[in-house]
Amino acid sequence: MATIDTTQPLTQAEQSESLSRAQVLRSMKRGDIVFENLSKLAAISVLLLLGGIIISLFIGAWPAIKTYGFDFLTTQRWAPSLKPQPILGALGPIYGTLVSSFLAMVIAVPVGLGISIFLTELCPHALRRPISIAIELLAGIPSIIYGMWGFFVLGPFLAESFQPAVISFFADVPVLNVIFAGPASNLSLFNASLILAIMVLPFITAISRDVFATVPTVLKEAAYGAGCTTWEVVWNVVIPYTRVGVIGGVMLALGRALGETMAVAFVIGNAFKIQASIFAPATTISAAIASEFAESDGLHQSSLILLGLLLFVLTFCVLAMARMMLMRLERNQGK
Amino acid sequence: MKLSSILAAVGLVMGLAAPVANAADISGAGATFPFPVYAKWADAYKKETGNGLNYQSIGSGAGIKQIVAKTVTFGATDAPMTAEELKKAGLVQWPMVMGGIVPVLNLEGIKPGELVLDGPTLANIFLGTVKTWDDAAIKKLNPKLALPSTAITVVRRSDGSGTTFNFTDYLSKVSADWKSKVGAAASVEWPVGVGAKGNDGVAGNVGQTKNSIGYVEYAYAKQNKLTFANMVNKAGKVVGPTIEAFQAAAANADWANSPGYYQILTEQPGDGSWPITAATFILMHAEPQDKAASGEALKFFAWAFKNNKMAEELDYIPMPAAVVGLIEKTWANDIKVK
């Protein structure tokens, strides 16, 4: 290899080459600056958009905030055409939103984790792709299709076979006979939760499958080598190692469930009254807005916008809580 | 280069789109209930005269908002505005077609028209005080029917609606309890039941849910082959939902002496009257900004009144000829299109 003598003056060719190289580098730098600013602009526009949405929601909701104040959160009545002034309260929709999302998670998290554990740890190779693709297809189905399927197929099935069985099974058990009280209904909080669970299943499954795949084989093999069963490996090695990612997936799913509109509006029954039975109709914030906004005006419309603002705050709180939970977990792991 | 080609493309699209928005096109917005017949009229009118009608069925309340804001040539509503409201907004109102609202149910073994209900019982079902199908009040009206002891599932609208306005207006007239606890409006505080969106939503739900009851415009009951109930009317007679019964109720309306044609056709006297009949209304500005468009709209409505057969084909009830004469006089006197 020839050593380069830096003391030698540069030849003509070398000079022009270094010049052009400087030019190229400069133009590349220019491109970088443009790129940096463009991406900065994109990031800032998100903030502006978010701010704009919050401000316009707040302006739209102001008449309702001024009229009802804190009572809006604690009132269950929803009487938009009461004279002289409507009585409107958000307690029913808030209850429905939280409970339907919570029930959806109770159903979807174990099933979703089960699917991804099966896929990564136990599944024969030939089955792995078909199941994965089926799960991903579930995510691609538009929510209105879920709503119609829930309305025409799932609702009647649940009302005629599943709900009566559960109602009579728990009829003599205190507390549970109130939660699972009749009459069976085509449209109910439970049906909405079930539809939501099916809708968020792909999120939980896809993300937890991906993070399960990141567990180093060495760790798992060491555990197997120490005599662990598959269950022990999953419970003591795989899940602790991927906890953060799994919780992230669950939170993403929860965010989707909280805001889902069309499918829920189809199957939840749109009743503002809070009932103890999960087989009774209820409503969620987004379903209430979807079904009432077009025909509303004045204080009624303002209250619906306030409901939208509340959903915003609710989703934000849930995500913030998730963040805090993750941070605490990470700290505990660090100890 | 790219930007200019995009601009060119946009220009091309806009250039293509421009001729579609014909100056002679009439725009209207409002009630969903008369949408099928307005669409049918508009289609035939376009074929005959070349003038189009753009009607957005966005709901009665929204229709009133749009015409007050002057974004459309006419508004349409199922819940009429009162004379004072009309005066304040500078609007002229008239009825366009009428229809019937019928209770529909899904009860095993019961055929259309077999079950008889009266106003107070219907109100109590929707109030939740009559809870089962074998309740004494229903049994009394239907001594020969074998009614199950199952719970009644009430199906009602979840969205604001002119149908609901007329239905709750009827219940307020026949039940003091309903009037004090719920009242009449486009969207009310429902004591019980599940909410479904639109007439088709209620029809679909009643069709699916055993032991349920709901209310829809007659056309929806007919199209979905739902079991309807017969009603006891103001004269105490049992009537079925037929065009004749709707017409009998409509014939009672004293259109000539109601300012702004403010008439609600529920609970009308007469042996053959269907108790829950309703008219749907058109709203236009008395002094429109775009006089040409308003003139075109009036021409369309006059043409529509002459083609009432199309409304009958879709199970609506046309306005009687005498009322059409009155309405045409109103147009000439109250709407300044020249």
Side-chain angles (χ1 to χ4, degrees):
Chain A
M1 239 186 236
T3 53
I4 298 163
D5 188 358
T6 47
T7 55
Q8 279 284 329
L10 294 167
T11 62
Q12 195 78 24
E14 274 173 340
Q15 231 164 14
S16 77
E17 191 194 326
S18 81
L19 241 175
S20 75
R21 180 181 293 171
Q23 252 170 359
V24 167
L25 279 175
R26 222 176 295 130
S27 79
M28 279 166 88
K29 198 180 172 195
R30 238 191 337 260
D32 245 15
I33 290 171
V34 170
F35 177 67
E36 190 194 323
N37 282 327
L38 275 178
S39 56
K40 199 187 276 173
L41 195 75
I44 289 172
S45 72
V46 168
L47 284 181
L48 285 179
L49 218 71
L50 193 69
I53 291 172
I54 292 176
I55 289 169
S56 55
L57 275 179
F58 197 79
I59 292 171
W62 183 245
I65 298 173
K66 212 167 55 184
T67 315
Y68 301 117
F70 195 70
D71 284 349
F72 191 73
L73 295 176
T74 55
T75 309
Q76 207 194 116
R77 286 189 71 183
W78 187 264
S81 45
L82 212 67
K83 299 279 180 296
Q85 195 187 50
I87 294 177
L88 300 164
L91 198 60
I94 290 176
Y95 169 84
T97 306
L98 291 178
V99 173
S100 64
S101 297
F102 173 74
L103 285 178
M105 288 302 140
V106 167
I107 300 166
V109 170
V111 176
L113 291 185
I115 294 172
S116 38
I117 289 168
F118 179 74
L119 282 178
T120 49
E121 303 297 321
L122 304 162
C123 186
H125 208 74
L127 261 178
R128 197 169 290 179
R129 271 183 73 84
I131 294 179
S132 297
I133 290 173
I135 295 289
E136 275 152 25
L137 275 180
L138 270 186
I141 298 174
S143 65
I144 188 87
I145 306 291
Y146 279 107
M148 291 174 79
W149 179 73
F151 183 80
F152 286 111
V153 182
L154 188 68
F157 166 75
L158 288 175
E160 272 158 42
S161 31
F162 179 76
Q163 291 183 7
V166 174
I167 291 165
S168 60
F169 185 78
F170 288 113
D172 301 324
V173 187
V175 183
L176 287 182
N177 64 0
V178 177
I179 295 174
F180 301 105
S185 167
N186 274 14
L187 307 177
S188 72
L189 185 60
F190 175 75
N191 293 13
S193 309
L194 198 55
I195 289 281
L196 280 176
I198 298 170
M199 293 179 78
V200 300
L201 198 57
F203 290 84
I204 297 174
T205 308
I207 291 176
S208 48
R209 184 195 56 196
D210 289 350
V211 295
F212 286 168
T214 63
V215 178
T217 325
V218 181
L219 271 184
K220 284 192 276 183
E221 276 169 1
Y224 280 123
C228 286
T229 60
T230 311
W231 164 255
E232 283 166 337
V233 171
V234 168
W235 192 245
N236 296 318
V237 178
V238 176
I239 291 195
Y241 189 86
T242 55
R243 204 158 35 186
V244 172
V246 168
I247 290 176
V250 169
M251 286 304 153
L252 196 69
L254 183 58
R256 168 104 200 250
L258 284 172
E260 175 51 42
T261 309
M262 264 347 274
V264 173
F266 256 78
V267 298
I268 199 163
N270 301 302
F272 282 82
K273 213 156 86 185
I274 296 175
Q275 278 155 291
S277 169
I278 59 168
F279 294 147
T283 192
T284 67
I285 291 176
S286 49
I289 295 172
S291 49
E292 296 202 3
F293 197 81
E295 282 277 309
S296 65
D297 52 12
L299 215 49
H300 184 195
Q301 192 164 71
S302 174
S303 297
L304 288 172
I305 297 173
L306 181 51
L307 273 184
L309 189 63
L310 284 177
L311 182 61
F312 210 152
V313 174
L314 208 66
T315 316
F316 183 81
C317 287
V318 167
L319 291 179
M321 258 159 59
R323 269 287 147 87
M324 270 166 58
M325 219 155 83
L326 285 179
M327 263 154 60
R328 185 176 295 168
L329 270 178
E330 273 164 10
R331 233 192 3 248
N332 286 354
Q333 254 173 350
K335 264 181 201 167
Chain B
M1 273 268 272
K2 270 209 176 127
L3 191 68
S4 65
S5 66
I6 289 169
L7 282 177
V10 169
L12 195 68
V13 169
M14 280 162 73
L16 283 174
V20 177
N22 199 320
D25 274 7
I26 311 154
S27 65
T32 51
F33 150 55
F35 174 62
V37 62
Y38 290 175
K40 192 169 183 176
W41 271 331
D43 195 38
Y45 188 67
K46 172 116 191 167
K47 273 183 198 141
E48 214 176 291
T49 64
N51 291 336
L53 171 81
N54 170 19
Y55 183 74
Q56 309 162 40
S57 61
I58 51 175
S60 297
I64 292 176
K65 242 186 282 173
Q66 296 272 314
I67 184 69
V68 169
K70 299 183 179 174
T71 50
V72 287
T73 318
F74 71 90
T77 174
D78 295 337
M81 292 172 82
T82 61
E84 299 94 81
E85 284 168 349
L86 288 170
K87 207 170 168 189
K88 219 174 114 193
L91 293 172
V92 177
Q93 172 177 268
W94 70 88
M96 200 64 212
V97 287
M98 297 174 284
I101 297 162
V102 296
V104 287
L105 47 111
N106 181 345
L107 200 53
E108 222 160 293
I110 306 288
K111 288 191 229 7
E114 276 190 348
L115 190 83
V116 177
L117 291 172
D118 61 6
T121 308
L122 192 61
N124 285 337
I125 291 174
F126 278 82
L127 276 170
T129 51
V130 168
K131 287 188 169 68
T132 56
W133 283 106
D134 62 348
D135 190 280
I138 305 178
K139 263 187 168 166
K140 205 176 139 197
L141 290 161
N142 303 279
K144 285 177 195 152
L145 288 183
L147 293 163
S149 62
T150 46
I152 301 174
T153 303
V154 169
V155 182
R156 36 73 176 181
R157 295 282 289 268
S158 62
D159 47 342
S161 129
T163 314
T164 300
F165 170 79
N166 284 294
F167 184 72
T168 51
D169 176 81
Y170 169 67
L171 295 184
S172 297
K173 278 178 182 159
V174 294
S175 158
D177 259 7
W178 183 274
K179 192 173 181 180
S180 64
K181 282 183 189 149
V182 186
S187 54
V188 296
E189 186 184 18
W190 296 99
V192 290
V194 297
K197 201 164 163 60
N199 268 305
D200 40 356
V202 172
N205 232 302
V206 171
Q208 295 251 324
T209 314
K210 284 192 181 132
N211 308 311
S212 65
I213 187 165
Y215 61 93
V216 290
E217 301 283 353
Y218 175 64
Y220 289 88
K222 201 177 161 184
Q223 279 159 18
N224 292 292
K225 299 189 176 62
L226 293 174
T227 306
F228 52 82
N230 286 358
M231 293 290 297
V232 177
N233 64 13
K234 198 176 185 183
K237 298 280 191 298
V238 175
V239 285
T242 57
I243 294 278
E244 294 77 40
F246 302 152
Q247 257 159 353
N252 280 304
D254 185 9
W255 297 106
N257 292 313
S258 7
Y261 295 95
Y262 186 91
Q263 277 281 336
I264 293 167
L265 301 175
T266 55
E267 189 70 346
Q268 293 291 322
D271 282 359
S273 295
W274 178 253
I276 329 172
T277 307
T280 182
F281 298 83
I282 297 287
L283 294 164
M284 271 177 69
H285 280 283
E287 288 183 35
Q289 278 175 338
D290 187 348
K291 290 186 170 30
S294 296
E296 283 299 321
L298 288 181
K299 264 186 223 159
F300 166 75
F301 290 125
W303 178 91
F305 276 136
K306 288 195 186 76
N307 289 276
N308 266 333
K309 251 205 137 40
M310 293 182 193
E312 272 175 9
E313 282 161 18
L314 291 172
D315 299 306
Y316 292 90
I317 313 147
M319 300 308 295
V323 182
V324 172
L326 281 175
I327 293 169
E328 280 170 346
K329 226 174 273 167
T330 303
W331 292 347
N333 294 339
D334 295 352
I335 302 180
K336 295 179 183 60
V337 292
K338 281 186 188 102

